């Protein structure tokens, strides 16, 4: 296999169970695993999250140490491993984040305003999420609970007051 024939999706599929199990041992969930090439270098970035505790630098280092030898056997190319927290104003990259961040404050941008309204951007709290009904959302402006279809959500991100 030449260095050019790297299938990053295959590699992510292969390493994800290992990363999930290792993160879980430390009480975290990997909310995103990305394997990307930037400036001719490969980077494996793992973003950890826990609803119970903050992600500490110490824990990131422990996860890194626990993973690196195993990952070296599974990844056929030189890469840099970065383990971190998702960041305070993280933009959601998958629907599972609506579930993971339930109870957290988010800013939501809609594709179309809701019926009878003009605004497309709301701040509030995630009450619930599922594939059928979409997002159950508590809007801070007026204290109204909204049910927003997933198809109408353009983007969502965590936010801090």
């Amino acid at each position: 296999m030449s260095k050019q024939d790297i299938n990053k999706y295959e590699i992510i599929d292969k390493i994800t169970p290992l990363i999930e199990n290792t993160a879980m041992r430390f009480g975290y969930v990997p909310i995103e695993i990305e394997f990307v090439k930037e400036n001719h270098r490969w980077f494996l970035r793992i973003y950890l999250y826990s609803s119970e505790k903050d992600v500490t630098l110490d824990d990131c280092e422990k996860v890194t140490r626990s993973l690196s030898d195993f990952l070296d056997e599974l990844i056929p190319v030189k890469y840099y491993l970065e383990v971190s927290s998702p960041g305070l104003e993280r933009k959601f990259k998958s629907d599972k984040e609506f579930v993971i961040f339930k109870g957290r404050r988010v800013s939501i941008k809609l594709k179309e305003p809701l019926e009878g309204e003009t605004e497309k951007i709301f701040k509030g709290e995630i009450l619930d999420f599922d594939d059928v009904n979409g997002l159950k959302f508590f809007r801070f402006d007026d204290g109204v609970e909204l049910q927003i279809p997933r198809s109408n959500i353009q983007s969502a991100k965590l936010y801090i007051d």
Side-chain angles (χ1 to χ4, degrees):
M1 177 168 176
S2 78
K3 291 226 186 297
Q4 276 60 49
D5 296 334
I6 300 280
N7 182 332
K8 67 182 192 171
Y9 303 105
E10 258 173 42
I11 290 174
I12 287 176
D13 283 347
K14 202 161 42 169
I15 63 179
T16 294
L18 170 70
I19 293 169
E20 287 175 340
N21 291 337
T22 304
M24 230 176 284
R25 283 209 319 265
F26 294 97
Y28 296 110
V29 177
I31 59 168
E32 186 185 354
I33 300 167
E34 64 176 16
F35 189 57
V36 293
K37 196 170 196 177
E38 294 172 359
N39 301 320
H40 311 293
R41 290 193 179 106
W42 284 98
F43 289 89
L44 174 60
R45 295 194 179 101
I46 302 167
Y47 298 93
L48 301 177
Y49 176 73
S50 165
S51 56
E52 276 87 61
K53 59 183 182 171
D54 289 336
V55 178
T56 66
L57 186 59
D58 189 41
D59 280 345
C60 288
E61 286 169 0
K62 285 179 190 161
V63 171
T64 300
R65 278 197 300 276
S66 302
L67 283 172
S68 52
D69 292 345
F70 296 107
L71 290 173
D72 290 348
E73 290 173 20
L74 296 172
I75 300 176
V77 64
K78 186 179 186 298
Y79 66 96
Y80 297 88
L81 175 60
E82 296 175 1
V83 178
S84 66
S85 73
L88 297 176
E89 302 237 331
R90 174 187 173 77
K91 194 170 184 153
F92 288 16
K93 301 208 171 101
S94 71
D95 285 358
K96 75 176 182 180
E97 292 184 58
F98 286 105
V99 177
I100 291 170
F101 293 122
K102 184 175 167 177
R104 295 284 302 272
R105 294 166 175 257
V106 290
S107 174
I108 303 273
K109 184 173 186 189
L110 304 180
K111 293 176 184 167
E112 299 293 326
L114 297 171
E115 200 174 319
E117 303 194 15
T118 54
E119 292 297 309
K120 292 202 306 199
I121 297 175
F122 303 129
K123 285 182 167 30
E125 180 183 315
I126 297 174
L127 298 175
D128 208 358
F129 180 84
D130 67 64
D131 295 334
V132 179
N133 301 310
L135 178 66
K136 192 171 179 184
F137 184 74
F138 179 79
R139 185 165 57 188
F140 291 149
D141 289 351
D142 53 11
V144 170
E145 268 187 30
L146 303 171
Q147 191 69 50
I148 304 170
R150 175 62 187 99
S151 58
N152 192 23
I153 299 172
Q154 183 170 326
S155 63
K157 68 176 189 161
L158 292 176
Y159 93 94
I160 305 302
D161 284 335

